Amino acid sequence: MMRSTRRRFIAIAAAAGGLPLLPFAAGWGAPSKNPLLRFWSGAALGADASMQIHHPDPAVADRLIAASLAEVGRLEKQLSLYRPDSAISRLNRDGVLDDPPFDLLRALAESLRYGEITGGAFDVTVQPLWNLYAAHFSQPNPSPNGPSQRELAAAVARIGQDALDVTESRISLTRPAMSVTLNGIGEGYVTDRVVELLRAGGVEHAMVNMGEIYALGARPAGGSWSVGLEDPRAPTKITEEVALQDRALATSAGYGTTFDPAGRFNHLFDPRSGHTSWRWLSVSVEAATATEADALSTAFSLMPEEATAPIVRKLGLTAHFIRPDGSRLTQRA
């Protein structure tokens, strides 16, 4: 299974001397210049992740990091498609899941809500399209034009959140060969749960990246955290800096995960047509939660600006769009 690389689109300026926070070597420790800052980096949901927290007691900070990692592990057992034994993997395999765990229910309920908000652009049931494109380009000498229209139509027939039945006691996929994915919202959801844990533990200053970013409080020295958005045409360069404080940021871009060597087909699936989207080079969303930023950056990648603007205003967002010609558009509430 291909791994999403969305976290590469964002660079974080750390509180300690403005040094880049990413990437780290795996593990945790305190930078020598500031013993109150604790760092961790590793993997979550099959991809790179990191935390930077500020706490007056390094031992307490390390316990909170350990608790956060345990929470990530617990959530992966429910939400990760990278684990064949996860609750979501069992749901996809069997088409039904009795006594579903709370966080899977909550994440799916959030997914359905953002599907409604975006008029169906966000759809948690698009996993058949991922399976189709991955299978097509994994076979010997695949057509460079991608799956056939017949294959796309068959996959689209398996999609639709109206066919996802979610109750507290049971989750059912009511169409044959349906499957769901939380790849468009799960990283944000996990990020939010870690932030909740740190906040409950007394942390007032932290930068959490479990695939999506949340800035908890201000930088320890004062002022907002600085986050740089990657230039899609020159991925090693920063095209814009964003100030975050008690806000989340997520970016979606087609070039982050492509299926074919030519890069024509990406992971941003239109649930209606089955095609992949290059409407925008990248979309970044600032929101109150990482869950919201994650889901809406995914959905906005498929939507025209006249459709995203009302959502931005209603939900109090800021959205940054980069067009195919490299020009930029920012929408604010």
Side-chain angles (χ1 to χ4, degrees), residues 4-130:
S4 171
T5 56
R6 292 176 62 181
R7 66 233 10 96
R8 295 179 184 172
F9 306 142
I10 302 173
I12 307 168
L19 298 174
L21 180 60
L22 299 176
F24 294 130
W28 70 58
S32 59
K33 291 184 179 180
N34 192 337
L36 302 184
L37 287 171
R38 306 297 288 181
F39 295 87
W40 171 86
S41 70
L45 296 176
D48 297 335
S50 63
M51 283 184 285
Q52 173 185 313
I53 71 174
H54 183 275
H55 197 283
D57 188 334
V60 172
D62 285 348
R63 285 198 293 272
L64 287 170
I65 289 174
S68 297
L69 299 183
E71 175 70 353
V72 171
R74 184 186 72 82
L75 292 170
E76 285 183 323
K77 292 178 182 178
Q78 298 185 34
L79 311 180
S80 177
L81 288 176
Y82 299 99
R83 295 186 57 130
D85 60 340
S86 71
I88 192 171
S89 293
R90 289 186 283 117
L91 171 63
N92 284 343
R93 183 178 63 247
D94 301 334
V96 63
L97 186 67
D98 291 317
D99 299 319
F102 171 77
D103 286 285
L104 179 57
L105 284 171
R106 184 178 178 185
L108 288 176
E110 287 287 283
S111 298
L112 294 173
R113 184 169 78 89
Y114 288 113
E116 293 176 1
I117 288 171
T118 61
F122 186 87
D123 195 318
V124 73
T125 68
V126 296
Q127 184 63 17
L129 287 170
W130 177 283

Side-chain angles (χ1 to χ4, degrees), residues 54-326:
H54 183 275
H55 197 283
D57 188 334
V60 172
D62 285 348
R63 285 198 293 272
L64 287 170
I65 289 174
S68 297
L69 299 183
E71 175 70 353
V72 171
R74 184 186 72 82
L75 292 170
E76 285 183 323
K77 292 178 182 178
Q78 298 185 34
L79 311 180
S80 177
L81 288 176
Y82 299 99
R83 295 186 57 130
D85 60 340
S86 71
I88 192 171
S89 293
R90 289 186 283 117
L91 171 63
N92 284 343
R93 183 178 63 247
D94 301 334
V96 63
L97 186 67
D98 291 317
D99 299 319
F102 171 77
D103 286 285
L104 179 57
L105 284 171
R106 184 178 178 185
L108 288 176
E110 287 287 283
S111 298
L112 294 173
R113 184 169 78 89
Y114 288 113
E116 293 176 1
I117 288 171
T118 61
F122 186 87
D123 195 318
V124 73
T125 68
V126 296
Q127 184 63 17
L129 287 170
W130 177 283
N131 296 338
L132 173 62
Y133 280 90
H136 175 85
F137 285 106
S138 295
Q139 64 185 333
N141 301 314
S143 168
N145 295 320
S148 68
Q149 284 301 121
R150 179 183 59 80
E151 291 171 320
L152 288 173
V156 168
R158 303 180 188 122
I159 293 170
Q161 67 176 38
D162 60 321
L164 176 61
D165 186 15
V166 181
T167 69
E168 290 185 3
S169 60
R170 190 178 219 201
I171 304 172
S172 301
L173 307 178
T174 64
R175 289 179 186 161
M178 277 187 74
S179 53
V180 296
T181 174
L182 293 171
N183 284 352
I185 197 173
E187 292 170 350
Y189 183 87
V190 171
T191 297
D192 285 335
R193 304 292 77 77
V194 171
V195 169
E196 287 177 350
L197 187 152
L198 294 177
R199 186 179 277 123
V203 174
E204 297 180 355
H205 311 281
M207 178 66 79
V208 178
N209 175 17
M210 294 294 146
E212 310 304 348
I213 288 171
Y214 190 93
L216 175 57
R219 294 170 61 192
S224 299
W225 299 84
S226 180
V227 179
L229 302 181
E230 183 179 276
D231 184 344
R233 298 170 301 166
T236 61
K237 296 181 180 179
I238 299 300
T239 185
E240 184 175 358
E241 290 189 7
V242 174
L244 290 182
Q245 186 170 327
D246 287 320
R247 295 278 284 178
L249 178 71
T251 296
S252 290
Y255 69 93
T257 301
T258 56
F259 290 93
D260 58 316
R264 294 174 57 194
F265 301 96
N266 61 52
H267 67 294
L268 298 172
F269 303 113
D270 185 328
R272 298 180 181 90
S273 69
H275 296 297
T276 64
S277 176
W278 290 104
R279 178 183 291 275
W280 307 99
L281 287 184
S282 71
V283 178
S284 300
V285 173
E286 302 173 45
T289 69
T291 303
E292 184 163 82
D294 194 2
L296 293 180
S297 67
T298 301
F300 285 5
S301 297
L302 305 172
M303 300 169 66
E305 60 186 272
E306 59 269 21
T308 60
I311 300 173
V312 167
R313 290 193 296 269
K314 181 178 180 180
L315 298 182
L317 312 173
T318 300
H320 308 264
F321 302 84
I322 300 181
R323 300 183 179 92
D325 64 2

